[in-house]
Amino acid sequence: MVFCWKCGTEVREDASFCQKCGTPIKPTATLEGKTGFEFLTSEKTAQDHWARRGIAYVIDSVLVGVAVFILVLATVLPPVVLGGGLPFGWGLWFGGIFPLMVLLIPAYFILAEALYAKTLGKHIMGLRVVRRDGKRMDLETSFLRNISKIHPILLILDLAAGLGMRGEVTQKFSDRYAGTVVEVSSQSRIIS
Ligand SMILES: [Zn+2]
């Protein structure tokens, strides 16, 4: 059995295109008809893949958090140390920059993957994003696959929807929608 990587429909073994959504099938979709969740409970490679993705996400989020923290310190600390007290408007700055993190984290992912096909966290974990059609990552594709990071609940729904579909174990729903897949380039396993 072969399932479309994009919409999860079962297609004929020899099909070149999905009869439901028209997506080119060959040469990628050759998995059995299990959902991502079923793979995740039984396959070490799937566990390894998602463990890497999870760690990479934590690294990236911490990185953005630390960068913002340093930025705030850099603007506030010098006048305080030099005895001038807190700079004018610091309350507005503090009050505004941390809520902005909600936008800064997805913005970082979108830009990094549009430019380099990976974030620093993905680089460290041996991951990179590739397009199914073989073209270079661009801003639109990166936006589509990362916009769910704007809210944790959206990201969880995106993950659950992707893993609940058949045909591909490594795609969030937004990866299917954007036509992307995250590849592991590292030979070593963190879960074995
Ligand atoms: Zn399809």
Side-chain angles (χ1 to χ4, degrees), residues 4 6-9 18 20-23:
C4 171
K6 186 150 196 166
C7 73
T9 304
C18 170
K20 189 171 174 208
C21 72
T23 300

Side-chain angles (χ1 to χ4, degrees), residues 128-146:
R128 75 191 183 106
V129 186
V130 292
R131 281 171 55 161
R132 288 285 200 183
D133 61 10
K135 292 182 181 149
R136 271 182 63 91
M137 278 296 286
D138 59 19
L139 203 57
E140 186 189 349
T141 311
S142 186
F143 179 85
L144 287 175
R145 79 169 302 276
N146 282 307

Side-chain angles (χ1 to χ4, degrees), residues 27-117:
T28 42
T30 46
L31 290 171
E32 308 157 56
K34 286 184 186 171
T35 65
F37 283 121
E38 286 164 339
F39 272 110
L40 207 49
T41 51
S42 59
E43 299 259 340
K44 294 279 192 233
T45 49
Q47 293 166 7
D48 182 76
H49 179 95
W50 283 104
R52 283 172 189 277
R53 300 264 299 258
I55 295 167
Y57 178 72
V58 171
I59 293 172
D60 286 322
S61 301
V62 169
L63 208 71
V64 178
V66 169
V68 169
F69 187 68
I70 289 172
L71 181 73
V72 168
L73 272 189
T75 57
V76 172
L77 218 50
V80 172
V81 170
L82 297 172
L86 283 166
F88 177 74
W90 71 275
L92 205 66
W93 174 227
F94 272 42
I97 191 74
F98 290 103
L100 256 187
M101 296 282 289
V102 171
L103 296 176
L104 289 174
I105 288 176
Y108 159 79
F109 277 91
I110 290 166
L111 281 177
E113 291 182 5
L115 291 170
Y116 310 112

